[in-house]
Amino acid sequence: MRSVAVVGASLAGLSAARSLRKQGYDGRLVVIGDELHRPYDRPPLSKEFLAGTLGEAELALEADDEDLGAEWLLGVRAAGLDHARRVVRLADGQEVRADGVVIATGAVARTLPGSEGLAGVHTLRTLDDARALRDELARGGRLVVIGGGFIGAEVASTAYALGLDVTVVEAAPTPLAGPLGETMGAIVSALHADHGVRLECGVGVKGLSGETRVDAVLLEDGRTVPADIVVVGVGARPCVEWLEGSGIALDDGVKCGADGRTSLAGVVAVGDCANWYDPRAGYHRRVEHWTGARERPDAAVATLLAGGAVEPGVPRPPYFWSDQYGVKIQFAGHAAGADSVTIEAGAADDRDVLAVYRLAGNPVAVLGMNQPRLFTRWRKQLAATAS
């Protein structure tokens, strides 16, 4: 293998490029990215960067003296994969020949149908998204966040601190019930009410009103919520359209094994677009977490360089964090597999808790709110149990 193309220039792509060099690959390395920006850190976009307390230079993921010896093709989108010819086709007509391919094209924010071209409506996924939203929030006014997940909650928290009037609309009866379960989801989402942010649950969005600029969110129960700015935070979809017709197996992203191996030889997938097999759960799942994008490329690159299956070991339980209204929220594991959850320390009313999720008495996940030391201890225990 003398040439490798990494398709995707965010954290997962950069991690794969680093891992290639770390594992001894010294051939041609091409990194392709659809954004013009060099790799940058996304978690601060909804928090410190949006609040104006963190600059663009501080988002950089590369050290000033880092040199991977790679060719960077930025601002150009991948348009196809010709596996027979070992070629990645680009939207500008270029072709990149590669003996090995790392797919790291990530995901794109879902939009609200009918909102196209309406000023004041935003999603938040990229640096350019964050720039545009930051400029609007600086003017103040009424913000409506559609979606009570972590991105939506972080935007609401940041906007509240900036002095905006904020309403969060969530279609589910309990925000965050998917990742955290109903009990703890209700406790975490109560942070909105604690700070005077209105939370409308169990009601969907019918549409938006406004001629050239949004002026209200129309709810399915007939109510109208006035809005000067709207942020749509209803999840993301994997960027895999460019792979259609390539012969690669797609299923909510690129379907791959626990080692990142796809259905095509010499092609692995990492990051938010990868639907990895989880040996603990016994099925595939796509996990959109920063830690996965940083850690899992090591296994995928080892598989790519070995030319076949590699024993990847058991990955650490998924981990993510969120900062909302001055509270640090940390979670590791999978709440969906639990049959019980208990608060081991702190008090729910104080938003200062350590909760452990169990299945048949065995811990499978842990949640911390302002409990970093206890959380770290439990996270290590989960990782030891998993291995």
Side-chain angles (χ1 to χ4, degrees):
M1 187 172 293
R2 298 308 305 158
S3 58
V4 173
V6 177
V7 189
S10 194
L11 175 62
L14 175 62
S15 297
R18 285 171 169 165
S19 189
L20 280 160
R21 295 309 192 201
K22 182 175 65 179
Q23 295 187 39
Y25 174 73
D26 60 0
R28 184 188 182 207
L29 176 58
V30 183
V31 183
I32 302 162
D34 61 352
E35 294 185 67
L36 286 169
H37 311 293
R38 299 283 291 201
Y40 59 87
D41 207 15
R42 294 185 191 272
L45 295 182
S46 56
K47 301 183 281 289
E48 300 95 336
F49 181 81
L50 199 59
T53 60
L54 191 73
E56 292 188 18
E58 296 165 283
L59 297 175
L61 287 172
E62 299 167 279
D64 291 339
D65 59 350
E66 184 171 11
D67 183 6
L68 294 172
E71 301 170 38
W72 293 81
L73 299 179
L74 301 178
V76 60
R77 180 176 51 84
L81 175 64
D82 187 333
H83 187 251
R85 295 174 54 226
R86 298 284 183 181
V87 161
V88 176
R89 297 194 304 273
L90 306 184
D92 64 0
Q94 291 186 76
E95 291 188 340
V96 177
R97 192 194 177 284
D99 300 321
V101 176
V102 179
I103 299 171
T105 40
V108 63
R110 297 184 186 277
T111 58
L112 194 66
S115 65
E116 300 83 1
L118 197 59
V121 181
H122 299 262
T123 55
L124 182 55
R125 183 80 186 183
T126 68
L127 176 56
D128 291 336
D129 292 340
R131 285 172 174 170
L133 179 57
R134 184 183 59 183
D135 290 345
E136 292 240 43
L137 293 182
R139 303 187 187 106
R142 300 163 299 184
L143 169 68
V144 176
V145 179
I146 301 173
F150 285 105
I151 293 295
E154 289 171 0
V155 170
S157 171
T158 302
Y160 161 80
L162 292 172
L164 280 80
D165 178 271
V166 184
T167 301
V168 177
V169 179
E170 169 57 51
T174 305
L176 303 173
L180 302 183
E182 290 188 6
T183 300
M184 298 311 300
I187 291 172
V188 172
S189 59
L191 287 167
H192 296 301
D194 291 347
H195 294 81
V197 171
R198 290 178 295 278
L199 179 60
E200 300 285 352
C201 294
V203 59
V205 172
K206 184 178 181 181
L208 306 177
S209 71
E211 294 186 5
T212 58
R213 183 178 180 87
V214 67
D215 57 34
V217 175
L218 310 178
L219 304 183
E220 289 183 341
D221 61 7
R223 288 180 295 150
T224 298
V225 183
D228 302 302
I229 308 167
V230 170
V231 174
V232 181
V234 292
R237 59 175 178 79
C239 297
V240 294
E241 296 90 344
W242 67 283
L243 292 167
E244 292 176 1
S246 67
I248 200 167
L250 301 176
D251 179 13
D252 185 31
V254 181
K255 193 172 184 179
C256 50
D259 56 2
R261 184 165 40 111
T262 72
S263 60
L264 296 180
V267 180
V268 296
V270 296
D272 291 358
C273 68
N275 190 2
W276 285 55
Y277 178 75
D278 186 335
R280 289 189 304 270
Y283 54 82
H284 287 77
R285 60 171 128 215
R286 193 167 59 84
V287 179
E288 297 178 8
H289 297 329
W290 188 94
T291 48
R294 183 173 62 87
E295 295 172 355
R296 289 196 169 188
D298 283 347
V301 164
T303 298
L304 182 68
L305 295 179
V310 171
E311 176 54 52
V314 179
R316 291 201 298 171
Y319 164 73
F320 63 86
W321 75 94
S322 179
D323 295 292
Q324 301 172 29
Y325 306 102
V327 176
K328 187 170 189 63
I329 301 160
Q330 297 171 283
F331 186 86
H334 293 288
D339 55 24
S340 68
V341 57
T342 57
I343 293 177
E344 306 280 328
D349 290 344
D350 296 333
R351 315 299 181 222
D352 177 14
V353 301
L354 190 289
V356 178
Y357 299 71
R358 291 181 172 85
L359 174 63
N362 298 312
V364 293
V366 59
L367 167 71
M369 296 178 70
N370 280 344
Q371 291 277 359
R373 297 179 73 178
L374 271 179
F375 175 85
T376 300
R377 188 183 308 165
W378 273 98
R379 185 187 176 199
K380 290 178 179 176
Q381 182 177 332
L382 280 180
T385 303
S387 343

Coordinates of all heavy atoms in Angstrom, one line a residue, residues 132-174:
A132 N -22.1 32.5 11.7 CA -23.4 33.2 11.3 C -24.3 33.3 12.5 O -24.9 34.3 12.7 CB -24.1 32.4 10.2
L133 N -24.4 32.2 13.3 CA -25.3 32.2 14.5 C -24.8 33.2 15.5 O -25.6 33.9 16.2 CB -25.5 30.8 15.0 CG -26.4 30.7 16.3 CD1 -27.8 31.2 16.0 CD2 -26.4 29.3 16.7
R134 N -23.5 33.2 15.7 CA -22.9 34.1 16.7 C -23.2 35.6 16.4 O -23.6 36.4 17.3 CB -21.4 33.9 16.8 CG -20.7 34.8 17.9 CD -19.2 34.6 17.8 NE -18.6 34.9 16.5 CZ -17.4 34.8 16.2 NH1 -16.5 34.3 17.1 NH2 -16.9 35.1 15.0
D135 N -23.1 35.9 15.1 CA -23.4 37.3 14.7 C -24.9 37.7 15.0 O -25.2 38.8 15.4 CB -23.1 37.5 13.2 CG -21.6 37.4 12.9 OD1 -20.8 37.5 13.9 OD2 -21.3 37.3 11.7
E136 N -25.8 36.7 14.8 CA -27.2 37.0 15.0 C -27.5 37.1 16.5 O -28.3 38.0 16.9 CB -28.1 35.9 14.4 CG -28.0 35.9 12.9 CD -29.4 36.1 12.3 OE1 -30.2 36.9 12.8 OE2 -29.8 35.3 11.3
L137 N -26.9 36.2 17.3 CA -27.2 36.3 18.7 C -26.7 37.6 19.4 O -27.3 38.0 20.4 CB -26.5 35.1 19.4 CG -27.1 33.7 19.1 CD1 -26.3 32.6 19.9 CD2 -28.6 33.6 19.4
A138 N -25.7 38.1 18.8 CA -25.1 39.4 19.3 C -26.1 40.5 19.2 O -26.0 41.5 20.0 CB -23.8 39.8 18.5
R139 N -27.1 40.4 18.3 CA -28.2 41.4 18.2 C -29.3 41.3 19.2 O -30.1 42.2 19.4 CB -28.8 41.4 16.8 CG -27.7 41.6 15.7 CD -28.4 41.7 14.3 NE -27.5 41.7 13.2 CZ -27.3 40.7 12.4 NH1 -28.0 39.6 12.6 NH2 -26.4 40.7 11.5
G140 N -29.3 40.1 19.9 CA -30.3 39.9 20.9 C -31.7 39.5 20.3 O -31.8 39.3 19.1
G141 N -32.7 39.5 21.1 CA -34.0 39.2 20.7 C -34.6 37.9 21.2 O -34.1 37.4 22.2
R142 N -35.5 37.3 20.5 CA -36.2 36.1 20.9 C -35.7 34.9 20.1 O -35.8 34.9 18.9 CB -37.7 36.2 20.7 CG -38.3 37.4 21.5 CD -39.7 37.7 21.0 NE -39.6 38.1 19.6 CZ -40.7 38.6 18.9 NH1 -41.9 38.6 19.4 NH2 -40.5 39.0 17.6
L143 N -35.1 33.9 20.8 CA -34.6 32.7 20.2 C -35.5 31.5 20.5 O -35.9 31.3 21.7 CB -33.2 32.4 20.7 CG -32.6 31.1 20.4 CD1 -32.3 31.0 18.9 CD2 -31.3 30.8 21.2
V144 N -35.8 30.8 19.5 CA -36.5 29.5 19.6 C -35.6 28.4 19.1 O -35.1 28.4 18.0 CB -37.8 29.4 18.9 CG1 -38.5 28.1 19.0 CG2 -38.8 30.5 19.4
V145 N -35.3 27.4 20.0 CA -34.5 26.3 19.7 C -35.4 25.1 19.4 O -36.2 24.7 20.3 CB -33.5 25.9 20.8 CG1 -32.7 24.7 20.4 CG2 -32.6 27.1 21.1
I146 N -35.4 24.5 18.3 CA -36.2 23.4 17.9 C -35.3 22.1 18.1 O -34.4 21.9 17.4 CB -36.7 23.4 16.5 CG1 -37.5 24.7 16.3 CG2 -37.5 22.2 16.1 CD1 -37.9 24.9 14.8
G147 N -35.7 21.4 19.2 CA -34.9 20.2 19.5 C -34.2 20.4 20.9 O -33.4 21.3 21.0
G148 N -34.5 19.5 21.8 CA -34.0 19.6 23.2 C -32.8 18.7 23.5 O -32.6 18.4 24.6
G149 N -32.1 18.3 22.4 CA -31.0 17.4 22.6 C -29.8 18.2 23.1 O -29.9 19.4 23.5
F150 N -28.6 17.6 23.1 CA -27.5 18.3 23.7 C -27.0 19.6 23.0 O -26.7 20.6 23.6 CB -26.3 17.3 23.9 CG -26.5 16.4 25.0 CD1 -26.8 15.1 24.8 CD2 -26.3 16.8 26.3 CE1 -27.0 14.2 25.8 CE2 -26.5 15.9 27.4 CZ -26.9 14.6 27.1
I151 N -27.0 19.5 21.6 CA -26.7 20.8 20.9 C -27.7 21.9 21.1 O -27.3 23.0 21.4 CB -26.6 20.5 19.4 CG1 -25.4 19.5 19.1 CG2 -26.4 21.8 18.6 CD1 -24.0 20.1 19.4
G152 N -29.0 21.5 21.1 CA -30.0 22.5 21.3 C -29.9 23.1 22.7 O -30.1 24.3 22.9
A153 N -29.7 22.2 23.7 CA -29.6 22.7 25.1 C -28.4 23.6 25.3 O -28.4 24.6 26.0 CB -29.5 21.5 26.0
E154 N -27.2 23.2 24.7 CA -26.1 24.1 24.8 C -26.3 25.4 24.2 O -25.8 26.5 24.7 CB -24.8 23.4 24.2 CG -24.4 22.2 25.0 CD -23.3 21.3 24.3 OE1 -22.9 21.7 23.2 OE2 -22.9 20.3 24.9
V155 N -26.9 25.5 23.0 CA -27.2 26.8 22.4 C -28.1 27.6 23.2 O -27.9 28.8 23.4 CB -27.8 26.5 21.0 CG1 -28.3 27.9 20.4 CG2 -26.8 25.9 20.0
A156 N -29.2 26.9 23.8 CA -30.1 27.6 24.7 C -29.3 28.2 25.9 O -29.6 29.4 26.3 CB -31.2 26.7 25.1
S157 N -28.5 27.4 26.5 CA -27.7 27.9 27.6 C -26.8 29.1 27.3 O -26.8 30.1 28.0 CB -26.8 26.7 28.2 OG -25.9 27.2 29.1
T158 N -26.1 29.0 26.1 CA -25.3 30.1 25.7 C -26.1 31.4 25.4 O -25.7 32.5 25.9 CB -24.5 29.7 24.5 OG1 -23.7 28.5 24.7 CG2 -23.5 30.8 24.0
A159 N -27.2 31.2 24.7 CA -28.0 32.3 24.4 C -28.6 33.0 25.7 O -28.7 34.2 25.8 CB -29.1 31.9 23.5
Y160 N -29.0 32.2 26.6 CA -29.5 32.7 27.9 C -28.5 33.5 28.6 O -28.8 34.6 29.1 CB -29.9 31.5 28.8 CG -30.0 31.9 30.3 CD1 -31.2 32.5 30.8 CD2 -29.0 31.6 31.1 CE1 -31.2 32.8 32.1 CE2 -29.0 31.9 32.5 CZ -30.2 32.6 33.0 OH -30.3 32.9 34.3
A161 N -27.2 33.1 28.6 CA -26.1 33.8 29.2 C -25.9 35.1 28.5 O -25.4 36.1 29.1 CB -24.9 33.0 29.3
L162 N -26.2 35.2 27.2 CA -26.0 36.4 26.4 C -27.2 37.4 26.5 O -27.2 38.5 26.0 CB -25.8 36.0 24.9 CG -24.5 35.3 24.6 CD1 -24.5 34.8 23.1 CD2 -23.3 36.2 24.8
G163 N -28.2 36.9 27.3 CA -29.3 37.8 27.6 C -30.5 37.7 26.6 O -31.4 38.5 26.7
L164 N -30.6 36.7 25.8 CA -31.7 36.5 24.9 C -32.9 35.9 25.6 O -32.7 35.2 26.7 CB -31.3 35.6 23.7 CG -30.6 36.4 22.6 CD1 -29.1 36.5 22.9 CD2 -30.8 35.6 21.2
D165 N -34.1 36.1 25.1 CA -35.3 35.4 25.5 C -35.3 34.1 24.8 O -35.4 34.0 23.6 CB -36.5 36.3 25.2 CG -37.8 35.6 25.6 OD1 -38.4 34.9 24.8 OD2 -38.3 35.8 26.7
V166 N -35.3 33.0 25.5 CA -35.1 31.6 24.9 C -36.3 30.7 25.2 O -36.7 30.6 26.4 CB -33.8 31.0 25.4 CG1 -33.6 29.7 24.7 CG2 -32.6 31.9 25.2
T167 N -36.7 30.0 24.2 CA -37.7 28.9 24.3 C -37.2 27.7 23.6 O -36.6 27.8 22.5 CB -39.0 29.3 23.6 OG1 -39.6 30.5 24.2 CG2 -40.1 28.2 23.7
V168 N -37.3 26.5 24.2 CA -36.9 25.3 23.6 C -38.1 24.4 23.3 O -38.9 24.2 24.2 CB -35.9 24.5 24.5 CG1 -35.5 23.2 23.9 CG2 -34.7 25.3 24.8
V169 N -38.2 24.0 22.1 CA -39.4 23.1 21.7 C -38.9 21.7 21.4 O -38.0 21.5 20.6 CB -40.1 23.7 20.4 CG1 -41.2 22.8 20.0 CG2 -40.6 25.1 20.7
E170 N -39.4 20.7 22.1 CA -39.0 19.3 22.0 C -40.2 18.5 21.7 O -41.2 18.5 22.5 CB -38.3 18.9 23.3 CG -38.0 17.4 23.4 CD -37.2 16.9 22.2 OE1 -36.2 17.4 21.9 OE2 -37.7 15.9 21.6
A171 N -40.2 17.7 20.7 CA -41.3 16.9 20.3 C -41.6 15.7 21.3 O -42.7 15.3 21.5 CB -41.1 16.3 18.9
A172 N -40.5 15.2 21.9 CA -40.7 14.1 22.8 C -41.2 14.6 24.1 O -41.0 15.7 24.5 CB -39.3 13.4 23.0
P173 N -41.9 13.7 24.9 CA -42.4 14.1 26.2 C -41.3 14.5 27.2 O -41.5 15.3 28.0 CB -43.2 12.9 26.7 CG -43.5 12.1 25.4 CD -42.4 12.4 24.5
T174 N -40.1 13.8 27.0 CA -39.0 14.0 27.9 C -37.8 14.3 27.1 O -37.3 13.4 26.4 CB -38.8 12.9 28.9 OG1 -40.0 12.6 29.6 CG2 -37.7 13.2 29.9

